Amino acid sequence: MANTAKLDIDGKVLELPILEGTEGERAIDFRNLRAKTGYITYDESYANTGSCQSKVTFIDGEKGILRYRGIPIEELAEGSTFVQTAYLVIFGHLPTEAERVEFSGLLTKYQMIHEDMKFHFEGFPSSAHPMAILSAMINAAGCFIPELTKDYQPEVFEQQAARLLSQVRTLAAYAYRKSRGLPSIYPKRKYTYTENFLHMMFSEPDEDYALDPAIVDALDLIFLLHADHEQNCSTATVRMVASSRANLFASASAGVCALWGPLHGGANQAVIEMLKEIRADKDDGTKFLDKVKNRGAGAKLMGFGHRVYKNYDPRARIIKRRSDELLAKLGISDPLLDIAKTLEEAALNDPYFIERRLYPNVDFYSGIIMQAIGIPLEMFTVIFSIGRMPGWIANYKEVMEDPDSRIYRPRQVYQGPTLNHYVPLFER
Ligand code: CMC
């Protein structure tokens, strides 16, 4: 394999170094291209651009492989918890028992939000989407940590990371209860991370929510499966904001906004809405798939397709199996799951989807589990945000600890008007 690539341009031959990742991904290093030739590279939507070198997550989209810090997602889903996986993603190794205890202790220590934060919640109309509230409240929570206004301090980073990871869950539950006009519920020390979230969502001041281990495990798995996914839209956003040396909470708050859209994390909500629409239409999916293929009203099969996976998303495979198990355990028969399965089978055998290599992604079945757990539809993407927090934190840390880190600042190919002149108002 070559160590350099040659670019023949304007009668000059430029040698460009080739960079190789630990899993064999090869990239041509274009960093000096403009300085040497006057040209920039053009790659709208960055489909072919390596924007950083990262040690957090490896994906082979052709083979359907996902690993956090080298460990296959299937092994983590089987043996780990969300909190241990979060530690792995953020700090690069599975925690020892002592590290686990210390990190869990920090999560517990920081689980309460400042009482004054409650006033911030008052300002939102009841129609506000919890993702809007969550993004605003993460940024607001950062205002209660004075040292965040100083530049990155590695010695307090573990505390700040734990504080964000712990409080995102509290803020998310408060956002939900506020949107329903319900009193907020404080976290309890005796509960695990995921138990506490369910408690804050569903307990009442006069009655604790009865925790069901099957539900706790299912939600913990959903969090774990979302923990990181390399340079997706929201993580790339977090890195972009971090590169200006903005603080951790501000960067994560931007990540929530990027995640919200239906092409990214918002797809889990969109999938359930789509399945409900198909059901209301008394369609078995055939009519809907025809509409998608004919591009009717821009219809897409939500929960299908991925920029990187050209194979079955391994997270979707795990969730599909677990949703079957959970629904059986809870004795729920969800007609939407049947529609989803019929749609999946039809799409996987349809030339439109085969040619484009479109497979189910993580969002196709996650909504079914969340619905079975009792999570309201508008909270689906919030759940994704809680799960993705470790990945955002880990990527933030990488940006901050990279001695060569510079502000992210892409260029553009300008296509606007050429020089023309200001015309005073009375002459226009
Ligand atoms: N339904 C129908 N057609 C599709 C779909 C879909 N879900 N996804 C892609 N296509 C078509 C697309 O129209 C294009 O066709 P053509 O070549 O004829 O123009 C072709 O497949 C290639 O797609 P693309 O739009 O170039 O793919 P992309 O990499 O830009 O977009 C995506 C990736 C995930 C945004 C897209 O597949 C999509 O919109 N899927 C539905 C939304 C969704 O499920 N998003 C969740 C993604 S996974 C979790 C996450 O990131 O949050």
Side-chain angles (χ1 to χ4, degrees), residues 61-62 64 301-314 316-317 344 347-349 352-365:
E62 311 298 324
L301 179 53
M302 300 311 284
F304 254 68
H306 199 277
R307 173 63 60 81
V308 180
Y309 290 121
K310 302 300 166 201
N311 202 327
Y312 213 104
D313 180 334
R317 207 183 289 285
E344 180 195 335
L348 291 179
N349 288 299
Y352 174 97
F353 295 90
I354 295 171
E355 277 157 23
R356 291 170 179 77
R357 299 204 284 168
L358 302 170
Y359 291 85
N361 61 49
V362 67
D363 294 315
F364 197 65
Y365 287 106

Side-chain angles (χ1 to χ4, degrees), residues 7 14-17 28-41 406:
L7 180 72
L14 179 70
E15 239 176 288
L16 297 157
I28 301 172
D29 181 345
F30 276 104
R31 280 177 294 180
N32 288 325
L33 183 68
R34 190 171 184 277
K36 297 230 167 119
T37 65
Y39 287 82
I40 60 169
T41 55
R406 298 170 73 197

